[in-house]
Amino acid sequence: MAPLKTSVALRQEFCIETKPEPCGIVIFGASGDLAHRKLIPSLFRLFARDLLPRDYYLLGCLSYGESPETDEGFRAAVRASLVAAAPGRPEVLDAFL
């Protein structure tokens, strides 16, 4: 019987992770709960693993309500969400924002 492959070997064989071409990403409701809990942390993890293209942009369309009024206010809110979701590596966080 052939030996079982480890999960690392299987991942290297079947999961080819490549960077996409330059692109734009639009998040509607970027100041909302879903964006702060799921979407933005996921994009940050892709950025930290160097799986986002070098040339990309992220456009956040804010929802009404308690949305920040300035870009700096939105970045501060995103920073707080990312620190809670993925602590550590402040230099990567600075490069992402």
Side-chain angles (χ1 to χ4, degrees), residues 15-32:
C15 297
I16 300 171
E17 297 174 338
T18 60
K19 282 187 189 181
E21 296 294 319
C23 64
I25 302 166
V26 179
I27 299 177
F28 292 95
S31 60

Side-chain angles (χ1 to χ4, degrees), residues 23-73:
C23 64
I25 302 166
V26 179
I27 299 177
F28 292 95
S31 60
D33 185 56
L34 175 66
H36 283 269
R37 285 187 310 110
K38 299 290 183 179
L39 300 177
I40 296 172
S42 295
L43 289 170
F44 175 68
R45 287 186 197 98
L46 288 173
F47 179 83
R49 292 175 59 198
D50 200 30
L51 291 174
L52 284 180
R54 179 176 169 89
D55 297 319
Y56 78 98
Y57 67 89
L58 178 60
L59 175 64
C61 299
L62 304 181
S63 55
Y64 293 104
E66 298 181 19
S67 297
E69 295 183 6
T70 64
D71 288 346
E72 292 77 23

